[in-house]
Amino acid sequence: MKYSVTSVILPQLDLVEQCRLLQQCGYDGLELRVRRVPDAQRDKPYSMWGRHKNDLPPEEFPRRAEQVRKVAADHGLTVPVIASNAPCDALDDVKALAEGAAAVGGAMVRLGTPSHLTKDMNYHARFGESVEAYNEAIEITASLGVRVLIEIHGGTIHVSPSLAWRLARNWPTSQIGVIYDLNNMTKQGFEEHDLGLQILGPYTAHVHCGAWQPVPGQPDPETGTQPWTWQGCDAGLGLIDLAEAFATLRRYGFDGFVSVEDFRDIDPHAKLTQAIEHFRRIDPDRM
């Protein structure tokens, strides 16, 4: 397996600084954030979900893709995935993202469904609408030789491996794949790795990796109910056993990128060094 980092977690660094850091830490690729900075965040400090120093919106990506490819290559990196937050029915964005992804070297592009699943929505209706919307998006991406990615994610209709597969199976694996997201499955949608990866089969295209621990709160004095929250932690200390996950991925032939998603507000160098050192300890190919 190869290791990358999503630049979503590096808001305070520009592209050169991101690539230099990844090279120093021994990574193989940069999962590139291509998103718009919310207007309300433009005069705020850098933050993962707000303002980024490397501000790269979809409409500028095709024009800047060659620069991205060259900077990454100069630091011994590839760009395997575009970390967009575009829904698949935003076809102008889909086209720009696909053109940029093709120009940067054939990266895959994360696209979301038209809407998240909320408690007042009907899953079956959302599923049908999503299939129709992805059909239109994939006409664009497939024409450029770009593979779409569905991310296993909380609050969606693809919260688990089996639900992601149910959506992805409507298209060939050459056109669409699934991000096996260990980060998100810690909190919602977890399925045992052997089962989940059997179901996904060749749709497993990319992996997101982070670590979370459940933290108990004060029980409700009336009901005795124990509330829980989540906190990020070092890669080896989370609720999901990453060594088991890596071994299962290897057993099913996955040789793509495992991308670090660690949303803790700590020193980037320390964060990325800790993660890759742990990966090397549990991945026999990289020891």
Side-chain angles (χ1 to χ4, degrees):
M1 293 186 285
K2 299 175 284 292
Y3 306 141
S4 58
V5 176
T6 175
S7 61
V8 172
I9 69 172
L10 300 172
Q12 66 276 68
L13 304 180
D14 64 24
L15 179 65
V16 172
E17 291 167 335
Q18 290 171 358
C19 290
R20 183 183 301 128
L21 174 60
L22 268 60
Q23 183 184 44
Q24 290 171 350
C25 294
Y27 286 88
D28 307 296
L30 174 69
E31 180 177 340
L32 182 69
R33 174 194 179 278
V34 182
R35 306 180 182 187
R36 295 182 183 90
V37 173
D39 289 340
Q41 294 291 324
R42 290 206 166 272
D43 59 349
K44 299 291 194 299
Y46 296 124
S47 66
M48 296 179 197
W49 309 116
R51 178 172 166 240
H52 273 243
K53 190 173 183 180
N54 185 34
D55 183 9
L56 182 56
E59 61 270 21
E60 293 186 17
F61 187 29
R63 177 177 63 82
R64 293 170 56 184
E66 175 56 27
Q67 176 204 16
V68 169
R69 186 204 63 75
K70 184 177 186 305
V71 171
D74 286 347
H75 292 84
L77 305 170
T78 59
V79 180
V81 169
I82 304 307
S84 97
N85 60 354
C88 60
D89 60 345
L91 296 183
D92 288 343
D93 284 354
V94 170
K95 185 173 186 292
L97 289 162
E99 289 175 348
V104 86
M108 299 178 284
V109 176
R110 175 190 183 271
L111 294 178
T113 55
S115 60
H116 287 292
L117 185 68
T118 60
K119 294 185 185 301
D120 60 343
M121 288 182 179
N122 180 276
Y123 164 80
H124 300 288
R126 295 290 84 75
F127 182 86
E129 292 170 3
S130 296
V131 170
E132 291 180 9
Y134 275 110
N135 270 331
E136 292 189 58
I138 288 171
E139 284 187 18
I140 296 170
T141 56
S143 70
L144 292 164
V146 170
R147 193 182 188 191
V148 168
L149 293 178
I150 298 170
E151 180 180 0
I152 295 171
H153 202 292
T156 68
I157 62 169
H158 39 84
V159 70
S160 67
S162 56
L163 286 172
W165 172 81
R166 184 171 186 258
L167 182 57
R169 70 187 290 264
N170 290 278
W171 302 274
T173 57
S174 60
Q175 296 178 352
I176 199 164
V178 170
I179 301 175
Y180 191 71
D181 196 304
L182 296 163
N183 234 356
N184 291 319
M185 286 190 291
T186 305
K187 301 179 182 181
Q188 186 178 0
F190 176 77
E191 292 172 341
E192 194 275 329
H193 300 303
D194 191 77
L195 175 64
L197 291 169
Q198 280 191 55
I199 291 169
L200 286 172
Y203 285 99
T204 306
H206 189 59
V207 175
H208 280 169
C209 191
W212 295 91
Q213 294 174 332
V215 179
Q218 291 297 320
D220 185 291
E222 295 184 7
T223 66
T225 302
Q226 174 73 70
W228 295 87
T229 57
W230 294 94
Q231 70 177 13
C233 58
D234 286 354
L237 303 179
L239 187 63
I240 286 183
D241 184 338
L242 295 185
E244 179 188 3
F246 275 40
T248 312
L249 284 160
R250 175 65 68 201
R251 190 162 68 250
Y252 281 93
F254 180 76
D255 61 356
F257 278 85
V258 175
S259 197
V260 175
E261 275 195 331
D262 184 339
F263 300 113
R264 293 177 294 168
D265 186 16
I266 61 177
D267 175 70
H269 187 275
K271 179 193 300 188
L272 300 191
T273 299
Q274 188 280 325
I276 199 167
E277 287 178 350
H278 185 70
F279 291 173
R280 286 169 174 158
R281 286 195 294 270
I282 63 176
D283 182 357
D285 285 354
R286 298 294 291 264
M287 287 180 176

